[in-house]
Amino acid sequence: MTKFKLYEDILSRSWNRYFYDVEANTIEEAVEKVRYEEVDCYDSEQIYEVIDELDPVDNNGSPTREIYNDKDELMWHNAELVNRGEIITQGIRSISENLSLIMEGEPESFRGGDIAFSTARRVMEMLGWKCSYAGKATLGQDAYHCIICTKPDKDFKYKIFGNAYEGSISISKENYER
C-alpha cells in the first residue's frame, strides 16, 4: 500500500469574540466607538462551539471543501455536486422577497443593481399595484424602460426605470398632479 500526503481546506462560518476596554461617558457612546472601530481590541478568541461548515449552495456554487496533494494540486472539490440552477432560482427568489419588503415600506426612492426590470414589475403587481408601460429610451447599447405603477387607494405613483443591459433599476415615488 502507498501512503499519500494530502491536506484539506474547508470553508466554514464561525464567530470570533473581541474584547475591548472603552473609555466613554455612556454605554451607548462606548458601543458606538466599537461599532465604528474607533478603539482597538486587547484580546480575541474564536468561538469553536458555533463553527458551521458551509455548503457550496451557501457560497454561490463555489467549493467549500478542497483536497490537495503534497504538490498543492487540487485533487477534488465539492462544487461539482451543486445544482447551479437551484442556486440561481434561490437568488432570484431572494431578490424578489427583498424588493417586496422594501416596496411594502413605500420608500421615496430606491436604486438597485442586478435586479431585472421584469422582476420589479412582477413584485409591484404582487403588491397590488397596476403597472403600465410608459416607454423606452436608448442610449448607445443601453435600453431604458419605464413603467408607471398606481394603486386606487394611494395619492402617489411609482415610476420604475430599468436598464435592460446592466440589470439595474431606479424607483421613485411621485405625487399625482391634480
Side-chain angles (χ1 to χ4, degrees):
M1 223 175 214
T2 306
K3 187 184 269 188
F4 296 94
K5 292 191 178 274
L6 303 171
Y7 65 90
E8 182 176 26
D9 292 339
I10 298 176
L11 181 63
S12 61
R13 176 177 30 220
S14 66
W15 283 92
N16 296 307
R17 182 168 294 156
Y18 299 93
F19 298 91
Y20 301 91
D21 282 328
V22 183
E23 289 186 27
N25 293 321
T26 65
I27 187 69
E28 292 81 11
E29 182 183 337
V31 168
E32 291 298 304
K33 285 184 175 186
V34 172
R35 180 178 170 197
Y36 292 108
E37 301 175 359
E38 296 174 5
V39 292
D40 293 326
C41 74
Y42 65 84
D43 197 8
S44 66
E45 65 185 21
Q46 186 168 31
I47 304 173
Y48 292 100
E49 295 84 25
V50 292
I51 295 175
D52 295 324
E53 285 187 26
L54 296 176
D55 191 85
V57 170
D58 301 322
N59 195 31
N60 294 320
S62 295
T64 59
R65 291 185 63 207
E66 299 173 334
I67 298 176
Y68 293 85
N69 66 16
D70 60 348
K71 296 177 184 131
D72 296 327
E73 297 169 328
L74 180 64
M75 304 304 296
W76 177 86
H77 62 81
N78 64 345
E80 62 199 8
L81 306 175
V82 173
N83 178 345
R84 293 190 186 275
E86 178 59 25
I87 292 170
I88 292 168
T89 301
Q90 286 176 358
I92 292 169
R93 197 175 302 122
S94 177
I95 289 168
S96 294
E97 289 169 2
N98 289 334
L99 183 58
S100 181
L101 289 172
I102 290 167
M103 295 313 296
E104 281 177 348
E106 297 181 355
E108 293 298 316
S109 64
F110 173 76
R111 289 181 173 268
D114 296 327
I115 301 173
F117 187 71
S118 60
T119 299
R121 181 180 189 140
R122 189 171 52 253
V123 165
M124 293 302 283
E125 289 172 343
M126 271 183 4
L127 293 172
W129 292 83
K130 182 179 184 267
C131 300
S132 55
Y133 191 71
K136 173 183 166 183
T138 306
L139 298 170
Q141 288 183 318
D142 295 342
Y144 293 88
H145 299 271
C146 180
I147 58 174
I148 305 293
C149 301
T150 59
K151 224 178 192 181
D153 61 336
K154 301 293 180 184
D155 63 350
F156 61 90
K157 61 186 173 186
Y158 278 111
K159 272 191 178 177
I160 302 177
F161 291 94
N163 179 305
Y165 182 71
E166 293 177 355
S168 62
I169 61 166
S170 172
I171 301 173
S172 59
K173 184 190 270 188
E174 295 184 3
N175 289 327
Y176 283 119
E177 296 175 13
R178 300 194 191 264

